[in-house]
């Protein structure tokens, strides 16, 4: 384990680096997360005390007791973030890591509605609930900060640079060196393609309805009448052309997937004016992949479990609502939605994990002596042979 000038063996930061603030995120992330925790707890307590309705899904809202519980969890996580800046004995380190992980998991579950709000805003459909959107955004911000704190703390405990994750000397506030451009290994591409197949039944049924056909006991005319009742102008315009806005959003997700898998997702291709040949900012595809993939996977997994339980009678049948005319038809659509959301969400997470590993940069100090870190990572991802 290499010695880092800015990191002690117990995971506590040493003398502060002097680089730009964005390069010093391992040092300010714990304080930022603690401030978020206080703000989050204050908002939740205020909503609970005032009886403000905060929906977590259609026709369901957070109970005041749940909001108070979330406030307590946030404060616990904020305290754990501050504890990462202090010297701790080994048992306490495990407690801190457990608290960080638990709070992070709660925030990840709380950002479940993010894709729905994104689609409604992109199609100018308005905001169904300002408090619901605020809750999702607060959870998303908390998940991001807690992830940064957990990541940097675990790296410190290993004796690695908390910023880049590679063992090296120096302050770790210098420029980052990107690895060579590469595409995802074959096994990753195959896995992503198979997961993407889950979109086909769902997208196929919606496309049939949008084109005026019948499927699952629903006519295209009834579907268009029901979906256009509260649709925005852009959504109606797309529907008139036979394009369902949610299917179009899935196509955008597939485009993002391809960028995560292939080289053009790391260097702007020739068909991008003014950007051709430039390096793609690493977080540009990763942030939407994570923010979309995690909630889609959770929501899709829930639908995938519910649909067969309803079909075999373990759960009560789903009452059909327009445009559906039968319980079996809406149950099939729930199953199709489960396959689609789980497949697309899991594919985004698998592709994003591969992309993050293949594009992980190192501090400039990491290349001074020892085995180049990119040789290790390319061997791990099976990409070394493509550069020989």
């Amino acid at each position: 384990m290499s010695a880092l000038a800015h990191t002690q063996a117990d995971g506590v930061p040493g003398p502060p680096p002097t680089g730009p603030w964005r390069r010093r995120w391992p040092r300010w992330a714990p304080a930022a997360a603690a401030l978020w925790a206080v703000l989050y707890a204050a908002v939740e307590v205020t909503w609970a005390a005032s009886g403000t309705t905060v929906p977590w899904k259609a026709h369901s809202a957070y109970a005041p007791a749940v909001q108070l519980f979330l406030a307590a969890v946030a404060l616990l996580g904020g305290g754990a973030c501050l504890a990462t800046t202090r010297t701790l004995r080994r048992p306490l380190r495990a407690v801190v890591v457990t608290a960080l992980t638990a709070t992070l998991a709660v925030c990840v579950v709380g950002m479940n509605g993010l894709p729905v709000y994104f689609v409604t805003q992109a199609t100018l459909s308005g905001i169904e609930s300002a408090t619901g959107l605020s809750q999702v955004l607060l959870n998303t911000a908390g998940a991001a900060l807690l992830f940064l704190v957990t990541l940097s703390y675990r790296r410190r405990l290993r004796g690695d640079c908390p910023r880049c994750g590679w063992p090296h000397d120096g302050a770790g506030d210098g420029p980052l060196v990107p690895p060579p451009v590469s595409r995802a290994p074959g096994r990753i591409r195959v896995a992503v393609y198979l997961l993407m197949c889950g979109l086909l039944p769902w997208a196929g049924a919606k496309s049939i309805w949008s084109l005026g056909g019948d499927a699952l006991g629903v006519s295209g005319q009834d579907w268009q009448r029901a979906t256009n009742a509260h649709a925005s102008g852009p959504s109606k315009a797309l529907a008139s052309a036979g394009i369902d806005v949610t299917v179009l959003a899935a196509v955008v997700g597939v485009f993002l997937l391809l960028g995560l898998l292939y080289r053009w997702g790391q260097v702007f291709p020739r068909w991008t004016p003014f950007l051709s040949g430039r390096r793609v900012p690493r977080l540009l595809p990763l942030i939407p992949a994570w923010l979309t993939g995690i909630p889609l996977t959770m929501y899709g997994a829930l639908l995938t479990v519910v649909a067969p339980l309803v079909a075999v009678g373990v759960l009560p049948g789903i009452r059909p609502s327009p445009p559906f005319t039968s319980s079996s038809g809406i149950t099939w659509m729930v199953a199709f939605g489960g396959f689609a959301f789980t497949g697309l969400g899991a594919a985004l997470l698998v592709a994003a994990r591969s992309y993050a590993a293949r594009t992980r940069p190192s501090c400039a100090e990491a290349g001074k002596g020892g085995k180049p870190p990119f040789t290790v990572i390319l061997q791990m991802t099976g990409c070394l042979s493509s550069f020989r």
Side-chain angles (χ1 to χ4, degrees):
M1 180 172 61
S2 68
L4 295 175
H6 62 298
T7 305
Q8 300 175 12
D10 58 2
V12 177
T18 58
W21 69 271
R22 64 181 181 278
R23 297 180 183 177
R24 292 181 280 114
W25 64 264
R27 299 196 64 87
W28 55 255
L35 288 175
W36 163 85
V38 173
L39 173 63
Y40 185 92
V43 171
E44 295 295 333
V45 171
T46 300
W47 282 341
S50 61
T52 302
T53 300
V54 183
W56 62 276
K57 69 173 186 176
H59 312 298
S60 298
Y62 287 91
V66 174
Q67 292 173 311
L68 295 177
F69 170 76
L70 293 175
V73 171
L75 292 177
L76 174 65
C81 289
L82 293 179
T84 63
T85 63
R86 299 182 175 276
T87 302
L88 301 174
R89 296 181 180 275
R90 187 177 297 274
L92 291 179
R93 295 180 208 167
V95 172
V96 168
V97 172
T98 301
L100 289 174
T101 304
T103 310
L104 176 59
V106 170
C107 289
V108 168
V109 173
M111 55 184 275
N112 187 49
L114 190 61
V116 176
Y117 284 107
F118 173 77
V119 172
T120 56
Q121 292 305 296
T123 57
L124 306 179
S125 299
I127 301 176
E128 290 189 16
S129 170
T131 54
L133 176 59
S134 299
Q135 178 80 349
V136 170
L137 293 179
L138 281 171
N139 280 293
T140 302
L145 289 170
L146 288 164
F147 174 77
L148 290 178
V149 173
T150 304
L151 179 65
S152 61
Y153 186 55
R154 291 178 67 89
R155 287 174 175 175
R156 289 191 187 107
L157 292 179
R158 294 198 306 262
D160 296 334
C161 172
R163 182 182 174 214
C164 73
W166 298 109
H168 64 80
D169 297 327
D173 61 344
L176 291 173
V177 180
V181 177
S182 63
R183 68 175 182 176
R187 64 183 182 277
I188 298 295
R189 299 198 302 273
V190 171
V192 169
Y193 294 149
L194 291 175
L195 289 169
M196 286 169 54
C197 291
L199 285 168
L200 296 178
W202 172 83
K206 285 203 163 189
S207 298
I208 290 173
W209 291 326
S210 298
L211 294 172
D214 300 342
L216 301 179
V218 177
S219 67
Q221 184 177 5
D222 291 341
W223 172 262
Q224 293 175 15
R225 185 184 303 112
T227 55
N228 289 336
H230 305 287
S232 63
S235 298
K236 292 180 180 179
L238 289 171
S240 65
I243 301 174
D244 184 89
V245 66
T246 56
V247 174
L248 182 61
V251 172
V252 174
V254 171
F255 177 81
L256 175 59
L257 273 172
L258 296 177
L260 293 168
L261 294 178
Y262 293 98
R263 292 180 174 88
W264 60 265
Q266 298 174 45
V267 176
F268 287 106
R270 287 175 292 185
W271 45 264
T272 51
F274 310 111
L275 296 174
S276 177
R278 295 186 179 183
R279 193 88 183 195
V280 175
R282 184 170 182 254
L283 294 180
L284 183 62
L286 281 178
I287 289 178
W290 287 330
L291 294 183
T292 306
I294 293 174
L296 277 181
T297 302
M298 292 190 298
Y299 183 58
L302 176 63
L303 296 182
T304 305
V305 172
V306 167
L309 293 179
V310 170
V312 299
V314 175
L315 294 178
I318 304 174
R319 180 176 299 177
S321 58
F324 292 95
T325 58
S326 65
S327 178
S328 61
I330 195 171
T331 301
W332 273 110
M333 197 56 191
V334 169
F336 289 170
F339 299 152
F341 302 148
T342 304
L344 180 58
L348 283 168
L349 295 180
V350 171
R353 185 177 184 276
S354 173
Y355 184 93
R358 289 180 289 113
T359 61
R360 178 179 167 188
S362 67
C363 295
E365 295 92 335
K368 299 176 181 179
K371 192 174 184 180
F374 299 132
T375 301
V376 178
I377 194 170
L378 291 175
Q379 289 174 343
M380 291 172 60
T381 57
C383 298
L384 187 60
S385 59
S386 62
F387 298 105
R388 291 175 179 171

